[in-house]
Amino acid sequence: MSGLFKRQVNRGPIRKMMPNKGAFIKWLSFKGLPGKGLTARVLATVILIAGVISGCARPFWKTSRTLSPHVLSSFEVSGGYWISSPDSSISPDGKKMVIVKGDSKRYELVVMALEGSGPNMAVVDSVDRQWTADNFFAYVPLAWASDSRLIYARHGWQKDGAHAGKRGLSIVAANIADKSTEEIYFVELPQGCYLRDQAFIPGKGKIYMTLSQTTGNSIWEIDVKTGKMRLVKDGLPVYGDLFQAKISPDGSHYVYSLYEEGRAGIYILDVATGEERPLLPSGDTMSFYPSWSPDGRYVAAYTVERVPGASGTSIPSYQLFPAEDGPLPLSTSITVVDKQGKLVQEIRVDGRLLADFQWAKGSPAIGFVAGIVDKDSSSSDETYPGYPPAIIRDSLWLVTVDGKSAPVKIADVPKDGSGGQVYVDPVAVDVKGEGVFYNLYVSQERSLWYAAKGKEPVKVADGSMTSGDTTPVYGNALVGAATLGDKTVIWLLQPGKFQKLAEYDGAYIAGFNDTLMVVSTLGYDLSQQAKGKVTVFKMFK
């Protein structure tokens, strides 16, 4: 399945792309999770974990350093590897990076030196490839406690040690200097239970994890200096992949959605006390998919109204647009509140539905797509009966979150003269909140564009850029990787100014901090013997 198709299934027009109505009905009733392919889904969840937050946001462009990207080192490596959290993979001194590496014989947690002319790697932990082929098992780097102390997890069936033969999460501290390891904590996780996500807050020196357990989801805290592990909250409900607890940039609060009888809406959890309270309770409206502003002051969420004549707070009572595993990120408004639940701004565009919003990387601004119902589509489609009509996303908007500014349209979505599908995907709002970078899909063509207030949209590159919370930011620029076919171009993207840094035959941003960025061409297939290239960029003079 192509990346574009997966994105369309979850976020695009749904009339002709929704293969599994039953999964959504199960989600509505919460009668259990589909059992098929659980190991594969869990492994994918571990591999794609990227929810690490690098501390409180700041006005990135206010820096005395001169932006001047240049290559610090470059060398070839072999095998395959992946990075669970690119924005916390580099050690505090910037001299090394933790990776998960593999080949046909071994599966390893490795520390790789970032300086020098050749790969200098030290194996921290390893198992043989056959073990991972026969059993669910993954290394998950969690945080650097210091330049020489690394915290990581052994997730799944334990091959050796005190818990050999058990399935769970072993939290381990490794001393890189003397190559010693010490288990901090062990949580048993029976079949179907797993590590959902993780977040490291450097300013607090704490790791936060959400675990799926037989008793429900639970949130845990690890102090990287003392090694103490603390249960913050347990007994949280399990809604499959729909339960997504989001931690604030300063690590003080979580937000998540609840769908319980008498306890429905977006709730906020105080990490220090474990106290939970409603932030946006369901009533005449329902809000979902909460997202923190970069400075941690606000929470934004999609909001829909009740179905006419409905009552109560059950999910079928609201005008949601269903996708395969839950509602689409599509609503009549976007609601912004502060941490006390006070309304800051209600974002609406008359006559339009709002979708796919993104916070600016360093400003209180939100970019989003607006659209209308496709009147030519049918809600009684014979193939997918009961689904709402398709949505035509026709415009891109930007709004400053200050309690008074109205949304401004910054671009119209072009039409395809041949009658093919057109789809727009906002991937990042620039650092200053002045414009939006977005992917445009017209028939079989993909391109990356930039639109700003009062200006005509500008094409940046062929290909599409991956969106995500871990996009590197340096000064007033963010870095994006635009991929088309086998070619990947790394771009330095400033408001209205786009600089090509490098071009590769396939590449991705493997790690970064506030000074360095690591680009890799090595694949994610940990069983191959392929060779690739690692390039380390220093971003400032």
Side-chain angles (χ1 to χ4, degrees):
M1 182 183 292
S2 71
L4 174 58
F5 180 75
K6 286 189 288 185
R7 184 175 297 279
Q8 289 172 328
V9 165
N10 290 295
R11 302 174 67 179
I14 62 176
R15 183 171 68 93
K16 297 181 180 179
M17 298 183 179
M18 213 34 69
N20 188 359
K21 181 180 178 182
F24 181 68
I25 299 302
K26 287 183 180 180
W27 176 75
L28 292 180
S29 59
F30 301 120
K31 291 182 179 179
L33 303 178
K36 254 179 145 181
L38 180 60
T39 300
R41 295 203 327 268
V42 170
L43 183 57
T45 300
V46 175
I47 292 178
L48 293 177
I49 285 172
V52 179
I53 301 172
S54 301
C56 294
R58 63 192 185 282
F60 297 103
W61 59 90
K62 294 182 180 179
T63 176
S64 59
R65 297 181 294 177
T66 301
L67 190 61
S68 178
H70 56 280
V71 174
L72 181 66
S73 61
S74 182
F75 46 85
E76 286 192 348
V77 292
S78 60
Y81 70 83
W82 61 271
I83 310 296
S84 64
S85 302
D87 56 351
S88 65
S89 60
I90 298 176
S91 61
D93 61 8
K95 294 183 178 181
K96 46 195 173 292
M97 184 172 78
V98 59
I99 63 173
V100 177
K101 186 178 182 298
D103 55 29
S104 60
K105 296 181 179 180
R106 302 296 296 173
Y107 175 67
E108 303 170 328
L109 183 73
V110 173
V111 169
M112 177 176 67
L114 296 180
E115 298 178 352
S117 58
N120 184 358
M121 301 187 183
V123 177
V124 177
D125 203 341
S126 70
V127 295
D128 57 83
R129 167 56 59 189
Q130 193 60 45
W131 180 259
T132 62
D134 297 338
N135 303 279
F136 167 66
F137 180 83
Y139 291 117
V140 184
L142 297 175
W144 285 94
S146 67
D147 294 335
S148 60
R149 181 177 168 86
L150 175 69
I151 311 296
Y152 68 97
R154 296 164 55 98
H155 185 204
W157 291 101
Q158 307 295 305
K159 182 182 181 182
D160 48 32
H163 307 287
K166 293 184 178 180
R167 188 184 188 281
L169 190 73
S170 174
I171 309 298
V172 181
N175 188 313
I176 305 303
D178 63 13
K179 300 181 181 180
S180 63
T181 59
E182 175 188 5
E183 183 178 77
I184 295 175
Y185 205 85
F186 181 79
V187 182
E188 192 161 356
L189 296 174
Q191 194 76 24
C193 302
Y194 55 95
L195 170 65
R196 294 187 58 86
D197 55 57
Q198 65 190 59
F200 176 49
I201 310 297
K204 293 183 69 175
K206 302 288 180 66
I207 301 165
Y208 294 96
M209 303 184 302
T210 303
L211 300 183
S212 175
Q213 297 177 266
T214 53
T215 55
N217 283 314
S218 59
I219 294 174
W220 297 74
E221 175 190 84
I222 303 173
D223 188 312
V224 298
K225 291 184 178 180
T226 66
K228 291 184 178 180
M229 189 163 172
R230 177 177 73 92
L231 177 64
V232 176
K233 183 78 173 178
D234 63 356
L236 291 165
V238 177
Y239 308 134
D241 291 335
L242 270 171
F243 185 84
Q244 298 178 6
K246 301 288 186 68
I247 195 165
S248 61
D250 64 358
S252 63
H253 293 83
Y254 269 94
V255 289
Y256 42 77
S257 294
L258 296 178
Y259 308 98
E260 309 301 303
E261 186 68 33
R263 196 165 65 119
I266 294 175
Y267 276 65
I268 187 168
L269 173 70
D270 188 306
V271 169
T273 65
E275 178 187 358
E276 178 190 79
R277 57 182 170 82
L279 188 70
L280 271 168
S282 296
D284 291 335
T285 62
M286 171 188 168
S287 298
F288 56 100
Y289 296 158
S291 174
W292 289 97
S293 63
D295 60 7
R297 295 172 60 196
Y298 307 129
V299 173
Y302 299 94
T303 300
V304 294
E305 284 77 29
R306 271 200 181 108
V307 174
S311 60
T313 57
S314 64
I315 288 177
S317 298
Y318 296 95
Q319 300 182 58
L320 295 167
F321 290 81
E324 185 175 353
D325 294 316
L328 286 169
L330 180 67
S331 62
T332 49
S333 65
I334 299 168
T335 304
V336 184
V337 296
D338 62 18
K339 288 191 285 191
Q340 286 68 49
K342 181 180 178 181
L343 180 65
V344 175
Q345 198 152 343
E346 185 179 40
I347 303 169
R348 289 181 178 270
V349 176
D350 290 343
R352 292 290 190 273
L353 294 166
L354 315 184
D356 305 336
F357 77 78
Q358 295 267 353
W359 280 102
K361 295 300 177 181
S363 306
I366 288 176
F368 61 92
V369 176
I372 58 174
V373 173
D374 183 357
K375 294 181 180 179
D376 294 330
S377 65
S378 171
S379 59
S380 59
D381 188 293
E382 293 181 1
T383 307
Y384 309 112
Y387 278 110
I391 304 300
I392 300 173
R393 289 161 166 81
D394 61 11
S395 51
L396 197 68
W397 298 70
L398 188 64
V399 59
T400 300
V401 178
D402 56 9
K404 57 184 179 182
S405 296
V408 175
K409 185 167 70 170
I410 57 176
D412 288 311
V413 177
K415 298 184 181 299
D416 184 0
S418 64
Q421 184 186 29
V422 177
Y423 186 68
V424 61
D425 176 23
V427 292
V429 182
D430 68 32
V431 175
K432 293 186 177 182
E434 296 177 352
V436 178
F437 293 95
Y438 59 101
N439 294 325
L440 190 62
Y441 305 94
V442 181
S443 296
Q444 300 300 315
E445 295 183 1
R446 299 184 293 169
S447 52
L448 175 65
W449 289 71
Y450 175 74
K453 296 177 184 179
K455 299 180 180 180
E456 288 295 317
V458 179
K459 182 178 177 180
V460 178
D462 291 322
S464 56
M465 173 178 157
T466 303
S467 61
D469 295 331
T470 54
T471 302
V473 176
Y474 302 98
N476 68 348
L478 56 88
V479 178
T483 299
L484 181 65
D486 294 331
K487 296 291 183 182
T488 299
V489 178
I490 308 298
W491 289 89
L492 192 67
L493 302 173
Q494 298 169 282
K497 182 181 178 182
F498 324 122
Q499 177 186 349
K500 183 187 292 189
L501 292 186
E503 184 173 330
Y504 301 91
D505 291 331
Y508 55 94
I509 299 172
F512 61 90
N513 59 14
D514 61 357
T515 302
L516 303 176
M517 180 178 67
V518 181
V519 177
S520 173
T521 66
L522 206 62
Y524 286 103
D525 188 343
L526 304 185
S527 64
Q528 291 188 352
Q529 302 286 350
K531 290 186 177 182
K533 189 175 183 179
V534 171
T535 305
V536 183
F537 290 89
K538 188 173 182 180
M539 303 305 292
F540 297 96
K541 284 185 178 180

